Amino acid sequence: MRADRLISLVLLLRRHDRLTADALARELQVSTRTVLRDIEALSAAGVPVYAERGRHGGFALLPGFRTEFTGLNHDEALALLAAGSGRGEHVFGLGQALASALRKVLDALPEGHRATASDAARRFLVEPETDLLSRRPVTDDVPGTAMIEVRRAVLAGRRLRIHYAATGRPPQWRTVDPIGLVTVRDRVYLLATRSGEDRTYRLSRVLAAEELPEAAQRPDRVDLDRIWRERSARFLGGDHITVLVRVDPARREELLDTAVSVRAEEPEPDGRLRLELTFQDARHAEWALWQLGTDAEALTPHALRISLRDRAAALAARYEDPA
């Protein structure tokens, strides 16, 4: 609808300050001629949009122009309400802000649409607390005060002191330059640098945090998706071991909870699953597979099969009937 496109056009100009007609056309997925017609329509409606000539020109709004848009259509409001119906309140410690935002979304709807959108959102359940096997998801518990300090430092671009408890080590204070926050399967990670070196911190291990007054040493623009992919690739390319496993589907989740990552998965004719997994090392892989008994079988590497066989043989010998 044209009304939605006009609102999107104004929001784009508010976000980017100045954009060319070609850039607006790409964002809105329309022709340049359509953008020019929309600009004329906005001007006629009293929206102070103007054109700047020259090499770095484009369209912009008069400084200080602000307006409120309450024209959410039914599906837009439903999308926001459904997203808020899951466990998003745990992400980045924004539970109160999410509740407030959802109230504003409902208030922005026309009177006749409020009840229908709210009722429709109740028909969607996003990430419930238990799955079909009645298992509760593992959610990192991040201290609220630490999360607030970390989030403030990330957004303000300031350095951060964190009291971090790395696995197997006593907690230590560290000063880092925060880059951004990433949430993966209800676990939140802080991407940062420390003395110029890339660092990734799991927020559940941050016992305390303090935003510092000095500016963080980081680029003005960031592509978190690219940075996360690169760090994940380096993490998986370390000293980890890759294991090919056949497993009973009923024990799949139990196995995945112990693995570092899943590289491939496919069903087998007998109903079992073939998984390609990575573990921290051979000892970690042996421990994880031993927990599953005969419900899992390591296919490769051969050395892992031998160690599991020897372990089983030693246990059988220990319990051999003397008679």
Side-chain angles (χ1 to χ4, degrees):
M1 296 176 61
R2 190 185 186 194
D4 293 334
R5 190 175 68 243
L6 292 175
I7 292 175
S8 297
L9 195 155
V10 175
L11 292 176
L12 284 170
L13 293 179
R14 281 174 53 174
R15 178 181 176 186
H16 297 284
D17 293 334
R18 182 182 298 104
L19 287 172
T20 65
D22 289 339
L24 286 168
R26 285 194 299 271
E27 290 285 345
L28 299 172
Q29 297 183 355
V30 296
S31 67
T32 303
R33 181 176 297 180
T34 298
V35 168
L36 295 177
R37 286 199 300 265
D38 288 347
I39 294 290
E40 291 179 0
L42 289 173
S43 297
V47 177
V49 59
Y50 66 99
E52 288 190 350
R53 308 295 180 184
R55 180 180 178 184
H56 300 290
F59 292 101
L61 297 169
L62 284 179
F65 172 74
R66 290 291 183 271
T67 186
E68 298 299 328
F69 294 111
T70 58
L72 288 172
N73 62 39
H74 182 272
D75 285 348
E76 290 170 340
L78 181 59
L80 292 174
L81 293 171
S85 68
R87 294 163 53 235
E89 67 271 14
H90 299 295
V91 178
F92 307 138
L94 294 172
Q96 292 183 350
L98 176 62
S100 176
L102 293 178
R103 284 194 297 268
K104 292 178 180 178
V105 169
L106 280 175
D107 185 68
L109 291 174
E111 185 67 34
H113 290 176
R114 292 178 191 172
T116 56
S118 181
D119 289 343
R122 295 192 184 98
R123 303 290 179 177
F124 300 152
L125 179 59
V126 182
E127 294 293 339
E129 291 189 357
T130 58
D131 62 15
L132 287 175
L133 300 178
S134 299
R135 294 175 302 193
R136 297 179 65 88
V138 179
T139 303
D140 277 355
D141 185 16
V142 183
T145 54
M147 172 60 83
I148 292 173
E149 289 293 309
V150 171
R151 192 175 69 234
R152 285 176 178 171
V154 168
L155 296 178
R158 299 188 185 280
R159 282 193 159 178
L160 183 69
R161 286 185 74 234
I162 57 175
H163 197 211
Y164 191 73
T167 303
R169 300 179 185 177
Q172 292 182 343
W173 283 99
R174 310 174 186 198
T175 299
V176 302
D177 295 297
I179 296 174
L181 291 168
V182 176
T183 176
V184 181
R185 296 188 180 93
D186 291 324
R187 293 175 178 175
V188 184
Y189 298 89
L190 169 67
L191 305 188
T193 59
R194 184 181 177 207
S195 301
E197 299 292 330
D198 290 345
R199 293 289 185 269
T200 302
Y201 300 100
R202 189 165 162 180
L203 250 63
S204 61
R205 296 174 183 158
V206 176
L207 307 180
E210 177 188 0
E211 179 188 358
L212 301 178
E214 59 262 32
Q217 302 298 313
R218 66 181 191 181
D220 293 333
R221 294 184 176 275
V222 65
D223 184 347
L224 277 186
D225 187 57
R226 176 185 58 79
I227 293 175
W228 181 256
R229 288 198 308 269
E230 291 174 352
R231 294 195 180 187
S232 297
R234 288 200 301 269
F235 179 73
L236 295 176
D239 296 330
H240 297 145
I241 181 175
T242 300
V243 179
L244 193 61
V245 181
R246 294 178 73 248
V247 64
D248 186 326
R251 309 294 296 276
R252 174 184 178 275
E253 294 298 325
E254 189 176 344
L255 180 59
L256 296 190
D257 284 343
T258 61
V260 172
S261 70
V262 183
R263 293 191 171 183
E265 176 178 350
E266 61 182 22
E268 293 206 324
D270 63 356
R272 290 206 163 198
L273 296 174
R274 180 183 290 253
L275 302 175
E276 184 179 354
L277 307 170
T278 56
F279 293 92
Q280 293 177 2
D281 49 34
R283 184 178 179 183
H284 177 208
E286 180 180 336
W287 172 86
L289 292 173
W290 182 260
Q291 310 307 308
L292 303 186
T294 57
D295 288 334
E297 177 189 359
L299 301 178
T300 61
H302 184 66
L304 178 59
R305 289 180 59 88
I306 297 299
S307 63
L308 285 168
R309 183 198 65 187
D310 293 346
R311 187 171 184 174
L315 187 66
R318 173 65 58 88
Y319 287 99
E320 184 178 3
D321 187 352

